[in-house]
Amino acid sequence: MGAQWKQKWRELAADQKGKIVGKLTREIQVAARLGGADPDLNARLYAAIAAARKQSVTRDSIERAIAKGSGVGGEPVNYQTVIFEGFTPHRVPVMVECLTDNNNRTSSEVKVLFKAGSMGTPGSVAWMFEHCGLIEAQHKDKGLDIEVAALEAEADNVEPLELDEDEAAGHIGARFFCQTTSLDTVTKALKAAGWNVTTSELHYQPKDYPVISEAQREEVTNFLQNLDGHADVHRIYAALK
């Protein structure tokens, strides 16, 4: 969900499955609340449903999340988005986006995670990232020029997206970047051009990446995984390639 550093362990580890499903259904709820219950008219909801299906979230769970988010399934959700800024071990800038119904609880718990082992530190790092729209998508035409596709969809930039082994056969992947205000428009243009959109979200793209060793990278990744394990942590953006 919007972080290049995530490893395959997160998708496969059985003890993380419940947390992953919780994060996915929460994203569906928020997307439905913000943009309505119709995924054909709500790009963020469309991508959230696609991500949930990829992780084998049941149809009933998806439908309940949509109903709850759109206010027709009982008490509506009231999640607040909170952003925490700081550094990982070895001074890698990181931004942590949380969805919470209790800001005080989440703030105190995330601060504890940052301080664990005196490895991470809070700090202002937003200026080290570009706030933009991000669309990750796949296309069946492997010969497609992604630069041309970006121009036609009026995206600002594009880069290749490495696909999983089972997805790569016969497909090409790309990450499209755009202005935050153009996210829905660019997403719909890509869908109309035959792209299968798997992610459509507001994003923080690092402007630069610190140079670190492989041993340091392992420490940074462990730190990020601990953060990601918190139930309220929704997305993590780190300046780590």
Side-chain angles (χ1 to χ4, degrees):
M1 297 178 59
Q4 289 175 281
W5 55 265
K6 288 182 179 177
Q7 303 296 318
K8 194 68 175 178
W9 70 273
R10 186 171 182 267
E11 298 179 2
L12 299 177
D15 62 346
Q16 290 292 315
K17 186 66 176 179
K19 290 180 181 178
I20 293 173
V21 171
K23 291 173 188 285
L24 291 168
T25 55
R26 189 177 300 184
E27 169 65 10
I28 291 172
Q29 292 170 4
V30 172
R33 176 171 63 85
L34 294 176
D38 187 348
D40 290 330
L41 301 176
N42 184 342
R44 179 173 176 174
L45 178 60
Y46 178 92
I49 293 173
R53 286 174 175 164
K54 184 178 178 181
Q55 292 293 334
S56 301
V57 178
T58 65
R59 179 177 177 180
D60 285 347
S61 295
I62 292 172
E63 290 179 348
R64 283 197 301 270
I66 294 173
K68 188 173 183 180
S70 59
V72 299
E75 185 178 352
V77 294
N78 187 28
Y79 292 122
Q80 179 182 2
T81 300
V82 184
I83 301 289
F84 298 92
E85 304 175 41
F87 294 92
T88 75
H90 310 294
R91 302 292 290 178
V92 174
V94 60
M95 298 187 68
V96 183
E97 177 184 326
C98 296
L99 288 178
T100 179
D101 56 3
N102 187 327
N103 188 19
N104 290 334
R105 180 202 67 222
T106 301
S107 296
S108 62
E109 292 177 356
V110 170
K111 288 176 182 177
V112 168
L113 290 174
F114 261 99
K115 294 177 181 178
S118 300
M119 295 298 287
T121 56
S124 178
V125 300
W127 62 274
M128 300 180 182
F129 295 79
E130 179 183 357
H131 195 204
C132 60
L134 167 69
I135 304 102
E136 294 183 346
Q138 306 168 19
H139 201 286
K140 293 181 179 179
D141 184 358
K142 292 197 71 172
L144 200 64
D145 188 325
I146 63 173
E147 297 284 350
V148 173
L151 286 172
E152 292 177 343
E154 298 187 353
D156 295 332
N157 200 1
V158 64
E159 64 183 27
L161 173 65
E162 184 177 346
L163 301 177
D164 293 339
E165 186 175 341
D166 57 339
E167 297 172 331
H171 289 78
I172 186 174
R175 306 176 86 233
F176 299 89
F177 301 91
C178 63
Q179 299 296 312
T180 57
T181 53
S182 303
L183 178 60
D184 194 64
T185 301
V186 174
T187 301
K188 288 178 179 177
L190 289 170
K191 287 172 60 180
W195 288 84
N196 177 31
V197 174
T198 56
T199 297
S200 176
E201 64 190 26
L202 297 179
H203 176 75
Y204 289 92
Q205 180 68 8
K207 296 178 181 178
D208 198 7
Y209 297 88
V211 177
I212 58 176
S213 67
E214 284 302 314
Q216 291 171 333
R217 175 182 294 274
E218 184 175 354
E219 291 182 29
V220 173
T221 301
N222 289 337
F223 177 84
L224 294 173
Q225 289 174 348
N226 286 335
L227 279 175
D228 194 50
H230 191 284
D232 293 341
V233 171
H234 192 52
R235 296 187 180 98
I236 297 176
Y237 310 96
L240 182 68
K241 288 186 177 180

